[in-house]
Amino acid sequence: MAAELVEAKNMVMSFRVSDLQMLLGFVGRSKSGLKHELVTRALQLVQFDCSPELFKKIKELYETRYAKKSSEPVPQPHRPLDPLTMHSTYDRAGTVPRTPLTGPNIDYPVLYGKYLNGLGRLPAKTLKPEVRLVKLPFFNMLDELLKPTELVPQNNEKLQESPCIFALTPRQVELIRNSRELQPGVKAVQVVLRICYSDTSGPQEDQYPPNIAVKVNHSYCSVPGYYPSNKPGVEPKRPCRPINLTHLMYLSSATNRITVTWGNYGKSYSVALYLVRQLTSSELLQRLKTIGVKHPELCKALVKEKLRLDPDSEIATTGVRVSLICPLVKMRLSVPCRAETCAHLQCFDAVFYLQMNEKKPTWLCPVCDKPAPYDQLIIDGLLSKILSECEDADEIEYLVDGSWCPIRAEKERSCSPQCPILVLGTSDTNGLLSTPNVNGGGSSVLGGSGGGGGTVGSVENGKPGADVVDLTLDSSSSSEEEEEEEEDEEDEDDEGPRPKRRCPFQKGLVSAC
Protein backbone atom coordinates (compact mmCIF):
# COMPACT_ATOMS: atom_id res chain seq x y z
CA MET A 1 0.00 0.00 0.00
CA ALA A 2 2.85 2.36 0.80
CA ALA A 3 4.41 1.73 -2.60
CA GLU A 4 1.11 2.51 -4.30
CA LEU A 5 0.84 5.78 -2.37
CA VAL A 6 4.33 6.83 -3.44
CA GLU A 7 3.56 5.89 -7.05
CA ALA A 8 0.27 7.83 -6.97
CA LYS A 9 1.95 10.91 -5.55
CA ASN A 10 4.69 10.80 -8.18
CA MET A 11 2.05 10.67 -10.91
CA VAL A 12 0.07 13.54 -9.36
CA MET A 13 3.20 15.69 -9.17
CA SER A 14 3.73 15.28 -12.92
CA PHE A 15 0.20 16.48 -13.81
CA ARG A 16 -0.53 19.74 -15.56
CA VAL A 17 -3.14 22.17 -14.29
CA SER A 18 -5.85 20.64 -16.50
CA ASP A 19 -5.08 17.15 -15.18
CA LEU A 20 -5.18 18.38 -11.58
CA GLN A 21 -8.50 20.13 -12.16
CA MET A 22 -9.99 16.98 -13.68
CA LEU A 23 -8.80 14.89 -10.71
CA LEU A 24 -10.16 17.33 -8.14
CA GLY A 25 -13.43 17.66 -10.03
CA PHE A 26 -13.76 13.87 -10.06
CA VAL A 27 -13.93 13.80 -6.22
CA GLY A 28 -15.93 17.02 -5.94
CA ARG A 29 -13.13 19.25 -4.64
CA SER A 30 -12.45 22.87 -5.56
CA LYS A 31 -10.59 23.29 -8.85
CA SER A 32 -9.63 26.96 -8.39
CA GLY A 33 -6.22 28.24 -7.41
CA LEU A 34 -2.63 28.29 -8.56
CA LYS A 35 -0.85 25.17 -9.65
CA HIS A 36 1.04 24.59 -6.40
CA GLU A 37 -2.26 24.92 -4.51
CA LEU A 38 -3.86 22.32 -6.76
CA VAL A 39 -0.86 20.00 -6.27
CA THR A 40 -1.08 20.39 -2.50
CA ARG A 41 -4.80 19.67 -2.56
CA ALA A 42 -4.33 16.59 -4.72
CA LEU A 43 -1.46 15.23 -2.61
CA GLN A 44 -3.48 15.63 0.56
CA LEU A 45 -6.32 13.83 -1.16
CA VAL A 46 -4.02 10.93 -2.02
CA GLN A 47 -2.57 10.88 1.49
CA PHE A 48 -5.79 10.82 3.47
CA ASP A 49 -8.47 9.49 1.09
CA CYS A 50 -6.87 7.27 -1.50
CA SER A 51 -9.68 4.90 -2.48
CA PRO A 52 -9.31 2.31 -5.28
CA GLU A 53 -11.50 4.50 -7.54
CA LEU A 54 -9.27 7.51 -6.93
CA PHE A 55 -6.11 5.53 -7.61
CA LYS A 56 -7.66 4.19 -10.85
CA LYS A 57 -8.55 7.74 -11.93
CA ILE A 58 -4.99 8.93 -11.30
CA LYS A 59 -3.57 6.10 -13.42
CA GLU A 60 -6.05 6.87 -16.15
CA LEU A 61 -5.12 10.55 -16.26
CA TYR A 62 -1.42 9.69 -16.16
CA GLU A 63 -1.64 7.20 -19.05
CA THR A 64 -3.76 9.61 -21.07
CA ARG A 65 -1.27 12.39 -20.47
CA TYR A 66 1.93 10.45 -21.28
CA ALA A 67 0.62 7.31 -23.02
CA LYS A 68 3.25 5.34 -21.16
CA LYS A 69 3.32 2.58 -18.59
CA SER A 70 3.10 3.65 -14.97
CA SER A 71 6.31 1.83 -14.12
CA GLU A 72 8.42 4.21 -16.23
CA PRO A 73 10.18 7.13 -14.54
CA VAL A 74 8.17 10.29 -14.19
CA PRO A 75 9.40 13.09 -16.47
CA GLN A 76 10.17 16.46 -15.00
CA PRO A 77 7.89 19.33 -16.00
CA HIS A 78 9.66 22.16 -17.81
CA ARG A 79 12.74 19.90 -18.18
CA PRO A 80 12.03 17.53 -21.11
CA LEU A 81 15.68 16.55 -21.51
CA ASP A 82 16.06 15.37 -17.92
CA PRO A 83 14.79 11.79 -17.52
CA LEU A 84 15.31 11.69 -13.70
CA THR A 85 12.50 11.75 -11.23
CA MET A 86 11.80 14.76 -9.09
CA HIS A 87 13.39 13.32 -5.96
CA SER A 88 16.44 12.24 -7.90
CA THR A 89 16.81 15.79 -9.18
CA TYR A 90 16.74 17.09 -5.65
CA ASP A 91 19.29 14.52 -4.51
CA ARG A 92 21.59 15.19 -7.42
CA ALA A 93 21.45 18.93 -6.94
CA GLY A 94 22.00 18.58 -3.23
CA THR A 95 19.22 20.99 -2.39
CA VAL A 96 17.03 18.93 -0.07
CA PRO A 97 17.28 15.36 1.17
CA ARG A 98 14.88 12.71 -0.06
CA THR A 99 11.79 12.96 2.13
CA PRO A 100 9.12 10.27 2.27
CA LEU A 101 5.66 11.69 1.67
CA THR A 102 3.85 9.49 4.12
CA GLY A 103 3.84 12.01 6.99
CA PRO A 104 0.58 13.90 7.57
CA ASN A 105 2.25 17.23 8.40
CA ILE A 106 4.40 17.77 5.31
CA ASP A 107 4.27 21.28 4.01
CA TYR A 108 3.88 20.47 0.31
CA PRO A 109 3.84 24.04 -1.00
CA VAL A 110 7.15 24.70 0.70
CA LEU A 111 8.68 21.54 -0.72
CA TYR A 112 7.43 21.72 -4.27
CA GLY A 113 5.61 24.98 -4.95
CA LYS A 114 8.33 27.11 -6.48
CA TYR A 115 9.77 24.38 -8.66
CA LEU A 116 6.42 23.24 -9.99
CA ASN A 117 5.51 26.79 -10.93
CA GLY A 118 8.63 27.12 -13.02
CA LEU A 119 10.16 29.75 -10.71
CA GLY A 120 13.52 28.09 -10.53
CA ARG A 121 15.07 25.33 -8.49
CA LEU A 122 14.07 25.12 -4.82
CA PRO A 123 16.70 26.65 -2.50
CA ALA A 124 18.24 24.57 0.23
CA LYS A 125 15.72 23.86 2.97
CA THR A 126 16.99 25.04 6.35
CA LEU A 127 16.12 22.61 9.11
CA LYS A 128 14.63 24.15 12.21
CA PRO A 129 17.00 23.85 15.20
CA GLU A 130 15.90 21.39 17.81
CA VAL A 131 15.01 22.34 21.36
CA ARG A 132 17.70 21.24 23.81
CA LEU A 133 17.45 20.89 27.57
CA VAL A 134 20.25 21.59 30.01
CA LYS A 135 22.19 18.65 31.36
CA LEU A 136 21.25 17.83 34.95
CA PRO A 137 24.15 16.63 37.17
CA PHE A 138 21.95 14.36 39.27
CA PHE A 139 20.53 12.52 36.20
CA ASN A 140 22.52 10.41 33.76
CA MET A 141 20.55 9.99 30.53
CA LEU A 142 20.40 6.38 29.34
CA ASP A 143 17.86 6.64 26.49
CA GLU A 144 15.79 9.31 24.75
CA LEU A 145 12.23 7.99 24.58
CA LEU A 146 10.70 11.13 23.06
CA LYS A 147 12.64 14.04 21.60
CA PRO A 148 11.59 17.55 22.69
CA THR A 149 8.22 17.99 21.00
CA GLU A 150 6.21 21.19 20.99
CA LEU A 151 2.83 21.26 22.71
CA VAL A 152 0.45 22.44 19.98
CA PRO A 153 -2.99 23.79 21.00
CA GLN A 154 -5.84 22.04 19.22
CA ASN A 155 -8.39 24.85 19.69
CA ASN A 156 -8.86 28.25 21.27
CA GLU A 157 -9.56 26.88 24.74
CA LYS A 158 -7.26 27.95 27.57
CA LEU A 159 -6.89 24.41 28.89
CA GLN A 160 -5.30 22.01 26.41
CA GLU A 161 -4.52 18.29 26.44
CA SER A 162 -1.66 16.65 24.57
CA PRO A 163 -1.44 12.82 24.57
CA CYS A 164 1.61 10.66 23.93
CA ILE A 165 1.78 6.87 23.49
CA PHE A 166 4.97 4.79 23.72
CA ALA A 167 6.23 1.41 24.91
CA LEU A 168 9.40 0.39 26.71
CA THR A 169 11.78 -2.14 25.19
CA PRO A 170 12.62 -5.32 27.13
CA ARG A 171 16.12 -3.98 27.85
CA GLN A 172 14.70 -0.75 29.31
CA VAL A 173 12.24 -2.69 31.47
CA GLU A 174 15.09 -4.85 32.73
CA LEU A 175 17.18 -1.80 33.62
CA ILE A 176 14.35 -0.38 35.69
CA ARG A 177 13.56 -3.64 37.47
CA ASN A 178 17.18 -4.38 38.38
CA SER A 179 18.08 -0.88 39.59
CA ARG A 180 18.52 -0.20 43.29
CA GLU A 181 16.06 1.79 45.36
CA LEU A 182 17.05 5.30 46.39
CA GLN A 183 14.22 5.25 48.89
CA PRO A 184 11.20 2.99 49.34
CA GLY A 185 9.28 2.90 46.06
CA VAL A 186 11.77 5.08 44.14
CA LYS A 187 14.07 3.31 41.70
CA ALA A 188 17.42 4.74 40.59
CA VAL A 189 16.56 4.11 36.91
CA GLN A 190 13.49 6.15 36.03
CA VAL A 191 11.34 7.36 33.15
CA VAL A 192 11.11 11.14 33.56
CA LEU A 193 9.13 13.84 31.79
CA ARG A 194 10.84 17.18 31.20
CA ILE A 195 9.12 20.38 30.01
CA CYS A 196 10.74 23.61 28.86
CA TYR A 197 10.17 26.65 26.67
CA SER A 198 10.29 25.98 22.91
CA ASP A 199 13.40 28.15 22.52
CA THR A 200 16.20 26.98 20.25
CA SER A 201 18.71 29.71 21.11
CA GLY A 202 20.42 27.51 23.72
CA PRO A 203 19.93 24.72 26.27
CA GLN A 204 16.74 25.33 28.21
CA GLU A 205 16.01 25.02 31.91
CA ASP A 206 13.01 22.98 33.01
CA GLN A 207 9.93 25.20 33.01
CA TYR A 208 6.34 24.13 33.66
CA PRO A 209 3.40 25.69 31.80
CA PRO A 210 0.48 27.07 33.83
CA ASN A 211 -2.18 24.64 35.10
CA ILE A 212 0.03 21.64 34.41
CA ALA A 213 -1.26 18.15 35.14
CA VAL A 214 0.28 14.85 34.03
CA LYS A 215 -1.77 11.68 33.69
CA VAL A 216 -0.01 8.34 33.19
CA ASN A 217 -2.31 5.62 31.91
CA HIS A 218 -5.25 5.98 34.34
CA SER A 219 -3.63 7.85 37.24
CA TYR A 220 -2.48 11.41 37.78
CA CYS A 221 1.17 11.93 38.63
CA SER A 222 2.23 14.29 41.40
CA VAL A 223 3.94 17.48 40.20
CA PRO A 224 6.21 19.56 42.49
CA GLY A 225 4.22 22.28 44.22
CA TYR A 226 5.03 25.92 44.92
CA TYR A 227 7.53 27.14 47.50
CA PRO A 228 5.79 29.51 49.95
CA SER A 229 7.11 33.07 49.82
CA ASN A 230 7.99 34.87 53.06
CA LYS A 231 8.20 38.28 51.39
CA PRO A 232 5.02 40.29 50.89
CA GLY A 233 4.08 40.92 47.28
CA VAL A 234 6.39 38.19 45.95
CA GLU A 235 4.71 35.34 44.12
CA PRO A 236 5.57 31.83 45.29
CA LYS A 237 7.94 29.92 43.02
CA ARG A 238 7.60 26.36 41.77
CA PRO A 239 10.69 24.16 41.51
CA CYS A 240 10.66 22.85 37.94
CA ARG A 241 12.29 19.44 37.96
CA PRO A 242 12.01 16.23 35.93
CA ILE A 243 8.77 14.43 36.78
CA ASN A 244 9.22 10.75 37.68
CA LEU A 245 6.60 8.61 35.89
CA THR A 246 8.06 5.17 36.60
CA HIS A 247 5.75 4.06 39.40
CA LEU A 248 2.66 4.60 37.23
CA MET A 249 3.93 2.91 34.06
CA TYR A 250 3.48 -0.61 32.72
CA LEU A 251 6.86 -2.28 33.09
CA SER A 252 6.23 -4.58 30.17
CA SER A 253 5.80 -4.44 26.40
CA ALA A 254 2.36 -2.84 26.84
CA THR A 255 1.90 0.69 25.55
CA ASN A 256 1.82 3.57 28.03
CA ARG A 257 -0.36 6.62 27.48
CA ILE A 258 0.75 9.96 28.91
CA THR A 259 -1.54 12.99 28.77
CA VAL A 260 -0.20 16.45 29.59
CA THR A 261 -2.81 19.06 30.51
CA TRP A 262 -1.51 22.61 30.23
CA GLY A 263 -2.64 26.22 30.06
CA ASN A 264 -2.47 27.93 26.67
CA TYR A 265 -1.56 31.53 27.48
CA GLY A 266 0.60 32.47 24.52
CA LYS A 267 3.93 30.85 25.42
CA SER A 268 5.15 27.77 23.60
CA TYR A 269 6.38 24.70 25.51
CA SER A 270 8.05 21.44 24.55
CA VAL A 271 8.00 18.08 26.32
CA ALA A 272 10.49 15.22 26.26
CA LEU A 273 10.73 11.74 27.78
CA TYR A 274 14.01 10.21 28.96
CA LEU A 275 15.20 7.04 30.63
CA VAL A 276 17.66 8.25 33.28
CA ARG A 277 19.68 7.03 36.24
CA GLN A 278 19.35 9.30 39.26
CA LEU A 279 22.55 9.92 41.26
CA THR A 280 23.05 10.98 44.87
CA SER A 281 25.22 13.77 46.29
CA SER A 282 27.71 11.22 47.65
CA GLU A 283 28.13 9.73 44.17
CA LEU A 284 28.74 13.16 42.67
CA LEU A 285 31.25 13.92 45.44
CA GLN A 286 33.14 10.72 44.73
CA ARG A 287 33.23 11.56 41.02
CA LEU A 288 34.48 15.07 41.83
CA LYS A 289 37.26 13.64 44.01
CA THR A 290 38.25 11.36 41.14
CA ILE A 291 38.35 13.82 38.24
CA GLY A 292 38.07 17.30 39.76
CA VAL A 293 41.14 17.73 42.02
CA LYS A 294 43.43 20.59 40.99
CA HIS A 295 47.12 19.97 41.66
CA PRO A 296 48.64 22.04 44.51
CA GLU A 297 51.29 23.49 42.20
CA LEU A 298 48.62 24.76 39.81
CA CYS A 299 46.75 26.33 42.71
CA LYS A 300 49.99 27.92 43.91
CA ALA A 301 50.57 29.39 40.45
CA LEU A 302 47.04 30.82 40.58
CA VAL A 303 47.83 32.49 43.92
CA LYS A 304 50.95 34.06 42.45
CA GLU A 305 48.91 35.28 39.49
CA LYS A 306 46.36 36.89 41.81
CA LEU A 307 49.07 38.64 43.84
CA ARG A 308 51.30 39.62 40.95
CA LEU A 309 52.28 43.28 41.06
CA ASP A 310 50.22 45.38 38.69
CA PRO A 311 52.38 48.26 37.33
CA ASP A 312 49.27 50.31 36.62
CA SER A 313 47.98 50.01 40.17
CA GLU A 314 49.05 52.40 42.92
CA ILE A 315 48.25 49.86 45.62
CA ALA A 316 50.50 46.83 46.02
CA THR A 317 48.89 43.65 47.33
CA THR A 318 51.26 41.73 49.54
CA GLY A 319 48.88 38.99 50.64
CA VAL A 320 45.33 37.73 50.61
CA ARG A 321 43.50 36.12 53.49
CA VAL A 322 41.47 32.95 53.02
CA SER A 323 39.15 31.55 55.67
CA LEU A 324 39.21 27.87 56.52
CA ILE A 325 35.55 28.07 57.59
CA CYS A 326 32.84 27.11 55.07
CA PRO A 327 30.53 30.09 54.33
CA LEU A 328 27.59 27.69 53.97
CA VAL A 329 27.55 26.00 57.37
CA LYS A 330 30.16 28.00 59.35
CA MET A 331 32.20 24.85 59.99
CA ARG A 332 35.78 24.00 59.15
CA LEU A 333 36.26 22.95 55.53
CA SER A 334 36.64 19.26 54.79
CA VAL A 335 36.65 19.27 50.95
CA PRO A 336 37.60 22.80 49.78
CA CYS A 337 35.89 23.51 46.49
CA ARG A 338 35.11 26.39 44.14
CA ALA A 339 34.17 26.95 40.50
CA GLU A 340 36.84 27.46 37.87
CA THR A 341 34.98 30.53 36.70
CA CYS A 342 35.12 32.21 40.13
CA ALA A 343 37.67 35.01 40.55
CA HIS A 344 38.21 34.49 44.29
CA LEU A 345 40.44 32.06 46.18
CA GLN A 346 37.96 31.46 48.99
CA CYS A 347 36.49 27.96 48.94
CA PHE A 348 33.31 26.33 50.22
CA ASP A 349 32.72 22.75 51.33
CA ALA A 350 31.82 20.46 48.43
CA VAL A 351 29.97 18.03 50.72
CA PHE A 352 27.39 20.55 51.90
CA TYR A 353 27.21 22.33 48.53
CA LEU A 354 26.20 19.13 46.74
CA GLN A 355 23.75 18.15 49.47
CA MET A 356 22.02 21.55 49.26
CA ASN A 357 21.74 21.38 45.47
CA GLU A 358 20.37 17.86 45.70
CA LYS A 359 17.46 19.21 47.75
CA LYS A 360 17.02 22.53 45.95
CA PRO A 361 19.17 22.95 42.82
CA THR A 362 20.40 26.51 42.36
CA TRP A 363 24.12 25.93 41.58
CA LEU A 364 25.15 29.40 42.77
CA CYS A 365 28.50 30.06 44.44
CA PRO A 366 27.92 30.97 48.12
CA VAL A 367 30.91 33.33 48.03
CA CYS A 368 30.26 35.50 44.94
CA ASP A 369 26.66 34.41 44.15
CA LYS A 370 27.59 33.64 40.53
CA PRO A 371 26.76 30.39 38.66
CA ALA A 372 28.86 27.46 39.85
CA PRO A 373 27.57 24.38 37.95
CA TYR A 374 28.82 20.93 38.80
CA ASP A 375 30.93 20.47 35.66
CA GLN A 376 32.94 23.61 36.57
CA LEU A 377 33.72 22.65 40.17
CA ILE A 378 37.30 21.88 41.24
CA ILE A 379 38.81 20.75 44.54
CA ASP A 380 41.65 23.05 45.65
CA GLY A 381 44.61 20.73 46.17
CA LEU A 382 46.72 23.42 47.87
CA LEU A 383 44.05 24.32 50.41
CA SER A 384 43.41 20.63 51.09
CA LYS A 385 47.09 20.26 51.98
CA ILE A 386 46.97 23.35 54.18
CA LEU A 387 43.93 22.02 56.06
CA SER A 388 45.82 18.84 56.97
CA GLU A 389 48.93 20.76 58.09
CA CYS A 390 47.28 23.65 59.91
CA GLU A 391 44.77 22.39 62.43
CA ASP A 392 44.97 25.17 65.04
CA ALA A 393 43.99 28.15 62.84
CA ASP A 394 40.79 29.20 61.13
CA GLU A 395 42.39 31.57 58.64
CA ILE A 396 45.53 31.72 56.53
CA GLU A 397 47.24 34.32 54.40
CA TYR A 398 48.68 33.65 50.96
CA LEU A 399 51.88 35.59 50.25
CA VAL A 400 53.24 36.95 46.99
CA ASP A 401 55.63 34.04 46.44
CA GLY A 402 52.79 31.51 46.76
CA SER A 403 53.64 30.51 50.31
CA TRP A 404 51.23 30.82 53.20
CA CYS A 405 51.17 31.50 56.91
CA PRO A 406 48.49 30.80 59.52
CA ILE A 407 46.61 33.65 61.16
CA ARG A 408 45.73 32.69 64.69
CA ALA A 409 43.17 34.64 66.66
CA GLU A 410 44.61 36.75 69.49
CA LYS A 411 44.08 35.05 72.81
CA GLU A 412 41.66 36.80 75.09
CA ARG A 413 43.32 38.84 77.79
CA SER A 414 43.33 37.09 81.12
CA CYS A 415 40.77 38.32 83.60
CA SER A 416 43.48 38.49 86.29
CA PRO A 417 45.46 41.79 86.46
CA GLN A 418 49.05 41.79 85.31
CA CYS A 419 50.10 44.26 88.05
CA PRO A 420 50.73 43.42 91.74
CA ILE A 421 47.65 42.46 93.69
CA LEU A 422 46.64 44.23 96.87
CA VAL A 423 45.01 41.69 99.16
CA LEU A 424 42.83 43.05 101.91
CA GLY A 425 41.48 40.82 104.62
CA THR A 426 41.45 39.95 108.33
CA SER A 427 44.65 39.42 110.25
CA ASP A 428 45.67 36.16 111.78
CA THR A 429 46.88 35.60 115.32
CA ASN A 430 50.29 37.09 114.51
CA GLY A 431 48.79 40.25 113.16
CA LEU A 432 49.54 39.31 109.56
CA LEU A 433 47.02 39.01 106.73
CA SER A 434 46.60 35.74 104.86
CA THR A 435 47.62 36.12 101.23
CA PRO A 436 45.71 33.90 98.81
CA ASN A 437 47.49 32.79 95.66
CA VAL A 438 45.78 34.58 92.77
CA ASN A 439 46.89 33.18 89.40
CA GLY A 440 50.44 33.21 90.55
CA GLY A 441 50.60 36.98 90.47
CA GLY A 442 52.61 39.07 92.87
CA SER A 443 50.88 40.52 95.93
CA SER A 444 51.52 43.00 98.71
CA VAL A 445 50.04 42.63 102.16
CA LEU A 446 48.62 45.33 104.39
CA GLY A 447 47.83 44.50 107.95
CA GLY A 448 44.71 45.45 109.81
CA SER A 449 42.56 44.30 112.64
CA GLY A 450 38.93 43.33 112.53
CA GLY A 451 37.05 41.46 109.88
CA GLY A 452 34.75 44.26 108.90
CA GLY A 453 34.87 46.73 106.07
CA GLY A 454 33.74 50.20 105.31
CA THR A 455 34.85 52.26 102.35
CA VAL A 456 37.65 51.09 100.11
CA GLY A 457 39.53 53.24 97.61
CA SER A 458 42.11 52.31 95.03
CA VAL A 459 44.60 54.43 93.16
CA GLU A 460 45.09 53.82 89.45
CA ASN A 461 47.56 55.75 87.29
CA GLY A 462 48.08 58.21 90.06
CA LYS A 463 44.39 59.03 90.38
CA PRO A 464 42.23 58.14 93.35
CA GLY A 465 39.59 55.51 92.62
CA ALA A 466 35.95 55.56 93.61
CA ASP A 467 35.03 54.70 97.19
CA VAL A 468 33.10 51.50 97.73
CA VAL A 469 30.76 51.18 100.68
CA ASP A 470 29.99 47.78 102.15
CA LEU A 471 26.37 47.80 103.31
CA THR A 472 26.51 44.31 104.83
CA LEU A 473 28.21 45.40 108.02
CA ASP A 474 26.46 44.76 111.34
CA SER A 475 26.36 46.97 114.44
CA SER A 476 29.11 45.08 116.24
CA SER A 477 31.58 45.62 113.45
CA SER A 478 30.63 49.31 113.37
CA SER A 479 31.51 49.76 117.02
CA GLU A 480 34.85 48.07 116.51
CA GLU A 481 35.58 50.40 113.61
CA GLU A 482 34.81 53.44 115.78
CA GLU A 483 37.32 52.25 118.38
CA GLU A 484 39.94 51.76 115.68
CA GLU A 485 39.34 55.27 114.34
CA GLU A 486 39.82 56.74 117.83
CA GLU A 487 43.13 54.92 118.18
CA ASP A 488 44.22 56.20 114.78
CA GLU A 489 43.43 59.78 115.78
CA GLU A 490 45.58 59.44 118.91
CA ASP A 491 48.44 58.11 116.82
CA GLU A 492 48.11 61.00 114.41
CA ASP A 493 48.40 63.48 117.24
CA ASP A 494 51.66 61.83 118.39
CA GLU A 495 53.27 61.12 115.02
CA GLY A 496 51.82 63.87 112.88
CA PRO A 497 49.28 63.76 110.09
CA ARG A 498 49.39 60.83 107.70
CA PRO A 499 47.11 59.52 104.84
CA LYS A 500 43.87 58.14 106.08
CA ARG A 501 43.84 54.38 106.02
CA ARG A 502 41.05 52.72 104.10
CA CYS A 503 38.98 49.98 105.58
CA PRO A 504 39.60 46.68 103.79
CA PHE A 505 37.25 44.34 102.01
CA GLN A 506 36.79 40.94 103.46
CA LYS A 507 39.24 38.94 101.37
CA GLY A 508 38.80 41.32 98.45
CA LEU A 509 41.19 42.03 95.57
CA VAL A 510 42.03 45.52 94.35
CA SER A 511 44.43 46.52 91.61
CA ALA A 512 47.47 48.16 93.11
CA CYS A 513 49.12 49.37 89.93
Side-chain angles (χ1 to χ4, degrees), residues 3-74:
E4 292 179 353
L5 282 176
V6 174
E7 183 183 6
K9 288 173 183 178
N10 286 336
M11 288 189 289
V12 167
M13 289 163 53
S14 66
F15 286 173
R16 293 185 176 181
V17 174
S18 59
D19 302 324
L20 294 169
Q21 289 175 343
M22 290 180 64
L23 178 62
L24 294 172
F26 174 75
V27 294
R29 300 291 180 91
S30 173
K31 299 185 291 184
S32 61
L34 299 176
K35 182 175 182 180
H36 73 274
E37 295 174 347
L38 300 178
V39 170
T40 302
R41 210 172 296 153
L43 288 174
Q44 291 176 346
L45 183 65
V46 172
Q47 177 68 35
F48 301 111
D49 190 18
C50 188
S51 60
E53 294 78 10
L54 180 63
F55 185 69
K56 183 178 179 181
K57 182 64 176 178
I58 292 173
K59 290 184 66 176
E60 180 184 336
L61 290 172
Y62 178 79
E63 292 173 356
T64 303
R65 173 72 182 86
Y66 293 102
K68 296 179 182 179
K69 295 182 181 180
S70 59
S71 59
E72 293 179 356
V74 180

Side-chain angles (χ1 to χ4, degrees), residues 347-377:
C347 290
F348 48 86
D349 201 310
V351 177
F352 297 107
Y353 183 71
L354 293 175
Q355 288 177 357
M356 293 175 68
N357 281 281
E358 185 178 19
K359 300 297 182 184
K360 184 181 178 181
T362 58
W363 300 105
L364 292 177
C365 174
V367 179
C368 62
D369 205 34
K370 293 182 179 179
Y374 176 77
D375 56 359
Q376 293 180 357
L377 296 181

